[in-house]
Amino acid sequence: MTEHVDVAVIGMGPGGEVAASRLLSGGRRVAVIERELIGGECAYWACIPSKTVLRSPEAAGGVDRAPGAEGARLDWPTARDYRDYMARHLDDAGQVSGYRDAGALVLKGDARISGPGRVTVDGRELTADHVIIATGSESRVPPIDGLGQVTVWTNRETYTAADLPGRALIVGGSAVGVETAQFLVRFGVQVTLLQRGDRLMSREDARVGELTEAHLRAAGVDVRTGNEPVQARRDGADSVLDLADGSSVRGDVVIVATGRIPRTEGFGLEDAGVQIAESGGIVVDEHCRAAEGVWALGDVTGVLPFTHVAKYQGRIVADAILGRPRAARYDGIPRVVFADPEIAAAGLTEGQAHEQGLTTVSAEVDLAQAIARPWTYERDPRGHLGLLADPDRRVLLGAWAVAPQAGEWIHQASLAIRAGIGIDTLLDQVAQFPTYTEGYLTALEALDL
C-alpha cells in the first residue's frame, strides 16, 4: 500500500532537521527518513563531539595563560563521558519520538527515489509532492597503497574512541586535521600532521596557514608540509607511512582528514532528473531546487559544506515549499576552526578576489600591539586580524582572524560583508572596551583607501 505525504525528507542531519521542523510547523505532512541516526554526522561523529572534547584543553590552556591561575588538569575519561553524553550515546530514540509526537512519519532505513514523486524505504512506498535530498557527505579516504594494512580512523572512530592512541599520524591539514591534531596533542598523544600542500589551511589566505602552523608547533605537533604518504604498511604493532620525500613516520593509528565526498550514490537520483556536478555534488538553483519537485540541501550539494550552511539551506527549501521563496546567498558566510587560538574567516580570500578581477587593499593587525583586550585576557597574548577591502566601493570583501574567541567576533565582519555595510559606517562603529572587536577599527584605519 502506498502512503502519501506532502514532503519526504531523505537524510535527517542538521539541514534535514531544520527543513522538516519548519515544514511541520507550517502544517505539512512530512515523512522523515534516515538510515542511521536522526541528527546526522554533526550530532554524533563530528561537530558536537569534536567541539566538546576541544573545549577541555582550551580551558586548561586558558588557565595556564591567565595570570594568577595554575594547575589545570586534563582528565580524558571525564571528557570522554561528557562527549558521549553530548552525542546522546549514539542513540536517537528521543529524536524519533519527538518527530512522531510532532506528527511526522518517521522511517528508518535505506531510501531510494523510484520515480517522480515516489520514494521507497526498505520496500515501503511513499508518494510525495516534494522530495528533499539531505543525505550529507562521507569521509574521503585518500588512495594510498597499502592503507588497508594499517589502523585507519576517520572522524567517526576519532570522536567515538574510548581510549586515545599513544601516537597518531594525521593526513590532511585543513579544518578537521588541525582541530584533531590540537585535541590529541593536548591530551598527551604524540601527533604528526602531514599536509600535501606547502601550507596548512590551504583554502584560506596564506597568512592564516602560517599562523596556524606556528601555533600547532608550539603545542607540540610535528607538522610536515609539502609531503604526503605514498605507501602504508604494517611493521609489528606500528602503522607506518612512507612519505614522498623518502622518509617514514610511525604511529598507532592513521587518521584521514582529507575532506568529504557528497553522498549521492544509491538513492536513485537518476530517476528524479537530478544532475550531479563535476565536483560530485547535486546541482541546485538559488532556491536549492534540484529538479521538478526535488530539492537538495547541505553537504550533498557541495555548496560550502558547513553545518550552518545546511541549516540555512533547510530554511531556504522549507520557505520555498511553504510559498514564501527567497534566493539563497552565500556571501559573508563565516568559517571557523575551533583550534586554540580559534581560526575564523568570512568572505573572499585575496586570491579569490583577484580571480574575480576585483581591485583590493588589505591590512593585517597584530592585536597585542593594537588593543588592550589580548593583555587582559592572557599572558603572552596572541592574535592577528586581517581585512580585505574594495577601495572603489569602500566595502569589506573578506576578513580573517587567528585569535582567542575569533569564532564569536568574526560575525561583525561577516555581517558587514553580507549586508554591504560601507567602511565609513564601520569606522564610525563604537566597540565595547576592552574587547577583541576593537581590533576592527585599527585594521580598518590601516587599509590604504
Side-chain angles (χ1 to χ4, degrees):
M1 175 177 158
T2 300
E3 185 169 358
H4 183 77
V5 295
D6 297 319
V7 186
V9 183
I10 303 175
M12 284 295 288
E17 286 209 84
V18 167
S21 297
R22 210 171 181 91
L23 290 163
L24 286 164
S25 296
R28 299 302 190 266
R29 171 68 168 154
V30 179
V32 300
I33 306 165
E34 174 57 56
R35 68 182 181 184
E36 292 187 297
L37 298 172
I38 292 178
E41 195 80 15
C42 177
Y44 300 98
W45 302 287
C47 315
I48 296 300
S50 67
K51 278 52 176 179
T52 299
V53 295
L54 277 160
R55 174 59 185 143
S56 301
E58 178 193 44
V63 169
D64 292 341
R65 301 181 73 87
E70 61 181 355
R73 181 180 62 86
L74 287 173
D75 180 71
W76 169 243
T78 301
R80 177 196 62 206
D81 291 348
Y82 187 66
R83 174 205 67 188
D84 292 346
Y85 163 76
M86 289 297 296
R88 304 166 186 159
H89 299 281
L90 304 184
D91 181 0
D92 67 349
Q95 284 60 49
V96 170
S97 62
Y99 279 104
R100 285 177 175 158
D101 291 345
L105 172 63
V106 180
L107 300 177
K108 299 296 290 289
D110 290 308
R112 182 177 179 85
I113 300 174
S114 51
R118 305 185 78 85
V119 178
T120 59
V121 184
D122 289 346
R124 182 172 180 175
E125 187 169 71
L126 301 175
T127 59
D129 299 325
H130 302 274
V131 177
I132 300 174
I133 303 165
T135 49
S137 62
E138 56 194 27
S139 294
R140 183 192 303 274
V141 178
I144 302 170
D145 288 343
L147 197 60
Q149 300 175 20
V150 300
T151 302
V152 177
W153 287 3
T154 67
N155 63 288
R156 290 199 170 195
E157 291 79 16
T158 302
Y159 292 108
T160 57
D163 299 305
L164 298 180
R167 301 165 299 164
L169 309 176
I170 301 176
V171 182
S174 290
V176 175
V178 169
E179 288 186 351
T180 302
Q182 192 133 53
F183 146 56
L184 291 175
V185 78
R186 290 286 177 84
F187 272 106
V189 178
Q190 179 183 318
V191 177
T192 301
L193 178 64
L194 305 169
Q195 168 73 337
R196 179 175 60 182
D198 59 2
R199 60 186 175 89
L200 303 181
M201 302 297 299
S202 58
R203 294 183 180 179
E204 302 296 346
D205 282 295
R207 183 66 170 139
V208 174
E210 178 183 330
L211 291 166
T212 300
E213 181 174 341
H215 287 302
L216 284 181
R217 288 187 183 279
V221 178
D222 179 6
V223 180
R224 305 194 186 190
T225 57
N227 213 341
E228 64 178 325
V230 295
Q231 177 76 38
R233 54 188 171 86
R234 174 75 64 181
D235 184 9
D238 288 353
S239 293
V240 182
L241 294 178
D242 296 323
L243 308 181
D245 67 356
S247 65
S248 62
V249 288
R250 293 171 176 265
D252 301 308
V253 299
V254 174
I255 300 176
V256 293
T258 49
R260 299 187 67 83
I261 305 169
R263 190 179 285 130
T264 59
E265 295 294 326
F267 299 104
L269 302 184
E270 64 278 3
D271 295 323
V274 171
Q275 295 183 356
I276 305 297
E278 290 185 9
S279 61
I282 293 176
V283 177
V284 295
D285 68 9
E286 69 272 19
H287 301 292
C288 294
R289 182 184 290 105
E292 185 63 32
V294 181
W295 313 77
L297 58 86
D299 285 13
V300 75
T301 68
V303 178
L304 295 176
F306 303 120
T307 294
H308 46 294
V309 173
K311 295 171 73 171
Y312 170 62
Q313 290 177 322
R315 301 198 303 270
I316 292 291
V317 170
D319 287 354
I321 291 173
L322 291 170
R324 43 179 188 263
R326 55 197 173 95
R329 294 176 49 200
Y330 301 104
D331 44 341
I333 299 291
R335 309 179 294 275
V336 177
V337 181
F338 291 82
D340 182 16
E342 290 182 351
I343 305 157
L348 300 177
T349 65
E350 192 164 10
Q352 290 169 337
H354 289 170
E355 287 174 4
Q356 295 181 22
L358 298 173
T359 301
T360 65
V361 293
S362 62
E364 179 185 336
V365 172
D366 182 336
L367 295 171
Q369 300 301 315
I371 58 176
R373 181 54 174 160
W375 294 92
T376 66
Y377 189 80
E378 60 186 1
R379 293 176 295 194
D380 301 320
R382 308 158 294 167
H384 290 77
L385 168 65
L387 297 181
L388 182 71
D390 182 331
D392 300 324
R393 293 186 293 139
R394 292 183 67 83
V395 295
L396 283 184
L397 297 174
W400 59 262
V402 181
Q405 301 179 338
E408 303 295 332
W409 49 271
I410 194 65
H411 289 85
Q412 177 162 329
S414 175
L415 178 61
I417 295 164
R418 192 168 179 81
I421 299 173
I423 286 177
D424 293 326
T425 300
L426 297 175
L427 284 167
D428 196 48
Q429 169 69 11
V430 180
Q432 169 69 40
F433 176 86
T435 62
Y436 284 99
T437 300
E438 280 192 291
Y440 282 113
L441 177 60
T442 306
L444 286 163
E445 290 180 331
L447 290 169
D448 185 11
L449 296 171

